[in-house]
Amino acid sequence: MTSVRAASATDPATLRAAYLDRLAASDEEGAVAVAVDALDAGVDPEVVLLDVVAGAQREVGERWAAGEWTVVQEHVATHISERVVAAVARRAPAPAPSGIGRVAVACLDGEWHGLPARLLAEVLVRHGWEVEFLGASVPAAHLATHLHRAGPDLVAVSSSLPSRLPAARRMVEACRSTGTPVLAGGPAFGEDGRWARAVGADGWAPDARAAAAMLAADPDGPWPTGGGTDRSGADDRSAREEQTVLHARRIELVGVAAAAARPDAGEVPDELADDLGHLVDFLAAAVFVDDPSLFEGFVSWVGTVAIPAGLHVDEVGPALDALAAALADSPRTARLLRDARAAHPTPAA
Amino acid sequence: MDARPDAPTRDAVDTTAVGAPATSPRPTPGTTPTTAPTTAPPPPAPGPGLLDGLEEGVVVCDRDGVVRAANPAAHRLLPALRVGEVVDVARCEVLTRAVREGRHGPASVEVVVERPEGELHLRARRGPVLGPTPPPPPETGDGDTCWYLRDVTGEHQRTDTLLAAQERAAFLAEAGRALHGVLHLDRTARRVVALAVPRLAAGGTLVLRHDDTVTWATAELGAGRPRLGRTGTTALARLPRLAAALAGEGAGAGDPWLDEELRTLTGRETARAGGALRACPVPTTGVVEGLVVLTGARADAADELGAAEEELLSSYVARAGAALAAAALHEEQAHLGAVLQESLAAPRLPETPGIEWGAAYRPARETLRVGGDFYEVVGGAGPSARSAFLLGDVCGKGIEAAVLSGRVRQSWHALRLLEDQPGRLLGLLNTALLDAVATRDEHPRFATMVLGDARPLPEGGVALRLATGGHPPPLVLRAAGTVEPVPVAGMLVGGLREARFGETEVVLAPGDTCLLYSDGVVEARGSGDFFGEERLAATLPRCAGAPPAVVCEHLEQTVVSWLDGHDHDDVALLAIRAPRRGT
């Protein structure tokens, strides 16, 4: 422990390892010390925030997905990182706003990973923006109320889960109604931002640094909207309808899929229900943006996640079959399920 | 329809009409083509020729551009036209070129003829060459062309007028869309000037007086995004013209002083590149006073076009006024809401040695983020002092609930200074609420709450004293992961004077957490069932060992996921933990 303190390492990789070590020990003071010592050693606050804290949090997410950490452990780590971000802000205060503009930073409704948005807020503050951080899971109606009152120049929304894309659409519409442009960011919008346009965002940035650079270059836009063509699937009524159907039947569909995936289990364990719920949500999102790769990406990922009692890779196939049967009257959805089933490597049940 | 080969001489093509091609060949709008006559060299044509009564002009030219025949309508349209002379005598370049190109040229040209009384727009269409018999004899000459001229001046004017009107309507519709729903005064102001430039003028400035503030927004062609600034109304003393114009007293069109004053107001350095200056008061039904000043405006009301632009300008300003008034009103309301919200916002948790706190608060969606749930924590002074806490819920939703919860909180803050015994404190609160209701004929309003205090124990752990009135019992999450409800109950607060409230004491060992929650947690209803006490008790063990902030966050997240987008009541959570040993 003392070695961590003594080491005045300035290399981000070393710092990240030391920081992660403190997170693993749920050692808030130690984690704060790693960050503050790095600042004192002359490391740029942005490096501490994005390369050390955010980098370590990514690793935390991977440990959770690998079944090494529980959800609560992940929450504790995130809680510590939040405190570290606050400590960094105290130790290396941001300069006064430069007048470049005001931005509201928010997470999508249902998006609980507030830390990336918090980090973006911190980075933008350091680039001279006046930032209002609205926190995790902001309902579209609350955002609209805020926009009417505060009238920022733009809204930056962050989301990590593509299954939140329909919510992203609602949020974009809420912003549009107030005439505020929306910059989207985070993995939810696809690696190349291909779904940012599908939900109507005015711009997309891959990460906090890129967002800051983009906004510095062009505070008013127009901004790049990322890769992908304009599928405009989100404007398609039948896509929306099918997505709505999926949402409305979510509980029933989770039951159907659970019965097929694990026929001999009496009570459905929460973990399995969660995973199947995500499966349905991703399916709905894929229908919504009309992009099979969104769903297939999730299907192949969920097989690699090792949460005890969660959806097992062998159970994916039967679950997809059961969903396809239950959703035969929704043509787009059924096609997505068939394609995903065909691409899924496990033998048929 | 037959052709009527009247004058069979080929040279004097004087004649006739080809009915059949008239109806079908060319879908030129509005033509009633026909064909016809004309005369040749020495125009004999004694009586009215077949084409003399035609409104469409008909001109026959040979390959050299010499006019071989023309009917009276053609002479009317092109007064300089002379049969036997070269066509360019008519001083019509486009037509001359088309004629020379003959059949290889365009089949239809638009011609503008300058005449003393104004421009004349003609549409010239190359048509079948007239001959004595329907299939003209070969001698007609390969190079001959026949042109049908029609006066389309009026048609053009109507089209132009229509297009201009459509463009204006589209502009207004777009402006309406862009302005309505912004509901924020500054943004609306920026937008008002941004939309005006360049459609209405090369530069636009909006000046607004709202309460004791003057806000201005200005946009100029090629000057980037609109600039906005504000100053006090006292500044208007130095800007008399502007003040007068704002008050609607004589908007000075072309008043150079107004421009000068605007420059002072907006800090613009250079004089604008001239152009007419127009000032239009913004009709805002008195909510704010507004003035739009345009430079290089397109409307000067001198002619018909100017009048239409003038009307466009006033329609635009009317829309701007409605949007500004709505934004100003909304801002007032929102300000009220915001002030209330701030006074009721979830409080900061204290840092207390030996006790850890965590909380989460999620107001119901439809209540503008002020709700009836509340919690308060006041840290004690000194290492073994008691820290007081309160978590509760008033019945109802929205502003009324928020006001009542404010009353409960203030009463608690005051009364706890006089009475630190939780059960008696609750009794005092009950009386205070009943008395407050009795003085103003209100309907009785109830509240439920848990209140108490926490004292760190010297050997580690925390001693809690709790009292409850009508509230779900707190839960204790032991460090090992077991969950125990605290057996305490009581009647609603604010209902009866003789209400009884339960009271108890709980000791938290290091690592134990006590959770207070509002019924929004267990009554959260998703697509299926209520969240319920069992699910809450089942979720808690997963949080064993986590800091209280994480416990609350995790529960909030679980409950909101359970809701699955459905509406919910306020959700409030307060967790108190005895720190683990060694931390």
Side-chain angles (χ1 to χ4, degrees):
Chain A
M1 267 229 237
T2 46
S3 66
V4 173
R5 277 219 88 126
S8 53
T10 54
D11 158 47
T14 314
L15 288 168
R16 186 162 59 235
Y19 184 76
L20 194 56
D21 182 56
R22 293 301 88 212
L23 288 187
S26 295
D27 176 8
E28 182 180 323
E29 275 175 42
V32 169
V34 171
V36 169
D37 290 353
L39 292 176
D40 292 349
V43 180
D44 187 277
E46 200 165 301
V47 171
V48 172
L49 293 172
L50 298 182
D51 297 314
V52 179
V53 177
Q57 284 293 138
R58 266 193 294 281
E59 173 70 23
V60 168
E62 282 160 23
R63 291 188 182 186
W64 166 77
E68 294 170 29
W69 283 25
T70 65
V71 175
V72 172
Q73 269 177 301
E74 188 204 348
H75 281 185
V76 173
T78 309
H79 173 69
I80 292 174
S81 287
E82 298 262 4
R83 310 280 284 218
V84 169
V85 172
V88 169
R90 276 197 302 273
R91 188 68 161 210
S98 67
I100 185 170
R102 291 202 297 145
V103 54
V105 177
C107 290
L108 286 184
D109 197 3
E111 173 60 63
W112 293 96
H113 296 89
L115 190 62
R118 175 87 192 268
L119 290 168
L120 173 67
E122 290 294 329
V123 169
L124 290 180
V125 164
R126 288 171 192 281
H127 283 80
W129 288 85
E130 211 177 312
V131 180
E132 289 148 305
F133 177 63
L134 305 181
S137 190
V138 180
H142 288 186
L143 181 63
T145 309
H146 174 83
L147 296 182
H148 283 319
R149 200 179 73 231
D153 297 301
L154 73 137
V155 178
V157 294
S158 157
S159 183
S160 58
L161 293 172
S163 54
R164 304 311 310 160
L165 287 173
R169 176 80 186 185
R170 284 196 294 278
M171 201 153 197
V172 167
E173 280 166 358
C175 296
R176 277 275 162 82
S177 73
T178 67
T180 315
V182 184
L183 184 64
F189 300 97
E191 260 172 35
D192 56 356
R194 69 177 72 177
W195 301 312
R197 203 194 296 208
V199 299
D202 299 278
W204 171 80
D207 54 40
R209 273 198 183 92
M214 229 165 85
L215 290 177
D218 221 339
D220 299 320
W223 309 300
T225 45
T229 50
D230 193 350
R231 291 165 181 275
S232 72
D235 291 323
D236 185 325
R237 258 197 34 216
S238 72
R240 276 195 179 206
E241 278 165 13
E242 290 196 18
Q243 178 258 329
T244 312
V245 166
L246 282 168
H247 189 73
R249 293 178 63 188
R250 188 174 186 272
I251 291 195
E252 172 214 338
L253 291 171
V254 167
V256 166
R262 210 171 290 175
D264 40 359
E267 183 104 338
V268 181
D270 286 350
E271 291 82 357
L272 179 63
D274 282 353
D275 282 353
L276 290 172
H278 285 141
L279 189 74
V280 175
D281 291 343
F282 273 83
L283 180 60
V287 168
F288 187 69
V289 297
D290 194 22
D291 188 347
S293 70
L294 193 161
F295 186 55
E296 281 161 22
F298 177 75
V299 169
S300 55
W301 176 81
V302 77
T304 67
V305 176
I307 298 171
L311 187 64
H312 192 265
V313 65
D314 295 335
E315 297 167 341
V316 173
L320 293 178
D321 288 336
L323 288 177
L327 291 161
D329 52 357
S330 297
R332 279 165 192 264
T333 313
R335 196 186 63 234
L336 274 176
L337 284 165
R338 270 198 312 278
D339 293 350
R341 182 69 181 93
H344 192 67
T346 51
Chain B
M1 327 215 99
D2 48 355
R4 222 192 35 158
D6 249 22
T9 19
R10 137 103 207 28
D11 268 351
V13 187
D14 198 359
T15 311
T16 214
V18 189
T23 50
S24 57
R26 209 167 300 270
T28 318
T31 48
T32 332
T34 3
T35 23
T38 14
T39 35
L50 179 64
L51 299 179
D52 290 359
L54 203 63
E55 276 183 32
E56 194 171 46
V58 182
V59 181
V60 180
C61 298
D62 68 13
R63 74 177 72 194
D64 298 322
V66 175
V67 177
R68 299 186 49 180
N71 72 344
H75 288 294
R76 259 199 318 280
L77 294 171
L78 297 173
L81 196 74
R82 298 280 180 279
V83 173
E85 290 183 6
V86 178
V87 73
D88 60 4
V89 175
R91 287 189 197 82
C92 185
E93 221 177 290
V94 182
L95 184 63
T96 308
R97 205 180 315 125
V99 167
R100 291 211 192 281
E101 286 170 9
R103 296 187 185 155
H104 310 288
S108 169
V109 291
E110 295 272 323
V111 178
V112 180
V113 183
E114 298 286 350
R115 292 202 303 197
E117 62 270 31
E119 278 185 357
L120 178 70
H121 291 251
L122 293 182
R123 182 172 300 145
R125 179 171 63 83
R126 181 154 48 72
V129 177
L130 301 169
T133 50
E139 316 87 271
T140 309
D142 284 345
D144 284 6
T145 48
C146 185
W147 295 86
Y148 300 81
L149 306 175
R150 204 156 54 81
D151 181 356
V152 291
T153 312
E155 193 180 310
H156 278 195
Q157 263 168 8
R158 284 191 296 279
T159 311
D160 287 350
T161 311
L162 186 66
L163 285 176
Q166 280 173 346
E167 188 268 343
R168 284 192 295 270
F171 169 73
L172 284 178
E174 173 55 31
R177 253 195 307 282
L179 286 171
H180 111 273
V182 175
L183 292 185
H184 183 267
L185 205 53
D186 288 1
R187 287 189 71 80
T188 311
R190 275 213 190 96
R191 208 157 256 224
V192 166
V193 291
L195 286 164
V197 176
R199 175 58 188 87
L200 295 174
T205 304
L206 170 73
V207 183
L208 281 178
R209 176 155 63 185
H210 185 211
D211 295 338
D212 52 359
T213 312
V214 173
T215 304
W216 53 266
T218 183
E220 240 169 303
L221 198 54
R225 72 167 149 171
R227 292 184 306 123
L228 183 133
R230 62 182 90 244
T231 179
T233 35
T234 47
L236 286 178
R238 289 179 289 109
L239 309 168
R241 308 277 171 136
L242 190 57
L246 258 178
E249 294 156 10
D255 181 349
W257 292 109
L258 187 59
D259 191 38
E260 186 61 39
E261 289 185 0
L262 275 182
R263 222 176 309 157
T264 310
L265 180 69
T266 62
R268 190 158 39 83
E269 280 162 15
T270 52
R272 273 193 261 237
L277 185 79
R278 283 189 56 76
C280 320
V282 181
T284 56
T285 62
V287 181
V288 292
E289 285 175 354
L291 179 73
V292 170
V293 182
L294 300 174
T295 39
R298 283 167 61 166
D300 53 8
D303 52 18
E304 203 181 323
L305 182 68
E309 283 290 312
E310 183 77 7
E311 200 181 306
L312 175 69
L313 186 57
S314 62
S315 302
Y316 178 72
V317 171
R319 276 168 176 70
L324 289 165
L329 281 175
H330 182 271
E331 213 145 275
E332 267 170 30
Q333 296 298 314
H335 181 66
L336 269 183
V339 169
L340 188 61
Q341 197 173 318
E342 239 156 68
S343 72
L344 298 173
R348 227 185 2 260
L349 294 171
E351 298 268 340
T352 47
I355 312 173
E356 293 174 344
W357 306 91
Y361 178 55
R362 199 164 185 84
R365 289 189 181 220
E366 66 271 32
T367 54
L368 280 175
R369 312 182 71 180
V370 289
D373 283 14
F374 53 90
Y375 65 81
E376 293 286 320
V377 179
V378 178
S384 61
R386 296 179 191 277
S387 298
F389 56 84
L390 163 75
L391 180 139
D393 178 7
V394 297
C395 71
K397 279 187 185 180
I399 291 292
E400 294 85 352
V403 167
L404 180 59
S405 87
R407 192 184 284 166
V408 172
R409 290 202 253 199
Q410 283 149 17
S411 306
W412 175 79
H413 274 290
L415 293 172
R416 70 167 195 89
L417 297 175
L418 308 173
E419 175 59 71
D420 78 337
Q421 221 268 329
R424 286 209 293 267
L425 178 53
L426 204 45
L428 289 177
L429 266 176
N430 185 48
T431 310
L433 285 183
L434 283 164
D435 289 350
V437 166
T439 53
R440 52 193 65 190
D441 295 335
E442 290 174 9
H443 291 294
R445 304 293 298 269
F446 311 118
T448 72
M449 67 193 80
V450 174
L451 55 74
D453 54 33
R455 180 172 54 91
L457 298 171
E459 64 276 20
V462 169
L464 297 178
R465 295 191 299 176
L466 293 162
T468 180
H471 205 79
L475 295 174
V476 173
L477 170 66
R478 297 294 179 193
T482 53
V483 177
E484 305 160 9
V486 178
V488 61
M491 296 164 71
L492 287 174
V493 184
L496 292 171
R497 291 205 179 264
E498 51 280 4
R500 295 172 174 245
F501 306 106
E503 204 177 351
T504 190
E505 295 191 12
V506 174
V507 174
L508 298 179
D512 290 355
T513 303
C514 178
L515 177 76
L516 277 52
Y517 62 94
S518 66
D519 54 11
V521 175
V522 287
E523 286 171 10
R525 185 165 198 174
S527 307
D529 214 354
F530 289 111
F531 187 69
E533 274 97 0
E534 290 81 15
R535 230 171 247 109
L536 176 61
T539 307
L540 266 180
R542 287 192 226 156
C543 305
V550 174
V551 174
C552 293
E553 185 193 316
H554 182 70
L555 287 174
E556 180 192 3
Q557 187 172 339
T558 308
V559 169
V560 174
S561 313
W562 179 259
L563 283 164
D564 194 23
H566 290 74
D567 284 343
H568 61 91
D569 209 344
D570 299 339
V571 168
L573 293 156
L574 177 66
I576 308 157
R577 182 168 86 152
R580 287 182 298 176
R581 275 186 222 286
T583 60

